[in-house]
Amino acid sequence: MLVWPIWSGQKLHSLIVRNMDKLADSLNDCVAQYFNQTGECTNSNEEADKKLQGYKCVLSSKATEESMANFARWEPSHGRFNFRHPWKQHLKIGASMRRCAYCIEALSSCINSEKQAAELINKHLSNSCLKVSCSSSIAIRELAKTVKTMK
């Protein structure tokens, strides 16, 4: 009989990285869509909508992350961390990403709302908000890259 381990820690690690990338895409696209709208509901292409909805994957991944972390604690010693692998830190990262995803969900509901902010306010805030969202999504992507390479 041959036993082949299921490395749930590896799967958890890649899930966290994928969710960070989805969150960065959603943040960037959601803010861009909010400030580029003309007041009327327009249908954008499917790829942009798919990226925009990426935050929902982050919101729905809590149970998967927790179960993978519980299984990962029982994995045999491997990698550079041996038995001291920081699985709880992965859960903290997931919780932080979900808090960010809730903010994106709130902004997304503002996009679809009937009542919109005045156009003057949108023009005044758009440049700053777009810069902040771009910088934030770049930072999230850099964090994803760092987590992926475990530096």
Side-chain angles (χ1 to χ4, degrees), residues 3-130:
V3 177
W4 190 263
I6 298 173
W7 299 108
S8 59
Q10 191 77 15
K11 290 183 180 180
L12 172 65
H13 190 75
S14 59
L15 175 69
I16 293 289
V17 171
R18 275 194 319 266
N19 280 348
M20 288 177 115
D21 286 333
K22 288 178 184 178
L23 190 67
D25 288 338
S26 291
L27 176 63
N28 213 13
D29 290 347
C30 189
V31 173
Q33 185 177 351
Y34 181 75
F35 287 109
N36 286 338
Q37 69 182 0
T38 58
E40 59 191 43
C41 188
T42 58
N43 292 332
S44 59
N45 61 16
E46 287 184 26
E47 186 176 328
D49 286 342
K50 188 175 179 181
K51 282 185 178 180
L52 180 62
Q53 299 301 319
Y55 72 91
K56 291 183 180 181
C57 294
V58 176
L59 293 176
S60 65
S61 68
K62 181 179 180 179
T64 307
E65 289 172 7
E66 288 178 351
S67 66
M68 284 184 183
N70 286 333
F71 289 135
R73 287 186 189 119
W74 292 96
E75 288 180 358
S77 171
H78 68 283
R80 67 179 214 201
F81 292 107
N82 290 325
F83 284 113
R84 297 176 312 274
H85 203 287
W87 300 120
K88 290 184 180 182
Q89 299 300 323
H90 283 73
L91 294 177
K92 288 180 182 179
I93 292 170
S96 296
M97 285 191 305
R98 278 188 293 283
R99 283 194 297 269
C100 185
Y102 284 125
C103 293
I104 294 172
E105 185 176 42
L107 183 59
S108 179
S109 66
C110 289
I111 291 170
N112 300 327
S113 176
E114 290 179 13
K115 294 185 179 185
Q116 298 292 323
E119 194 171 322
L120 181 64
I121 294 173
N122 274 351
K123 283 184 180 180
H124 184 69
L125 294 176
S126 67
N127 195 26
S128 299
C129 289
L130 288 169

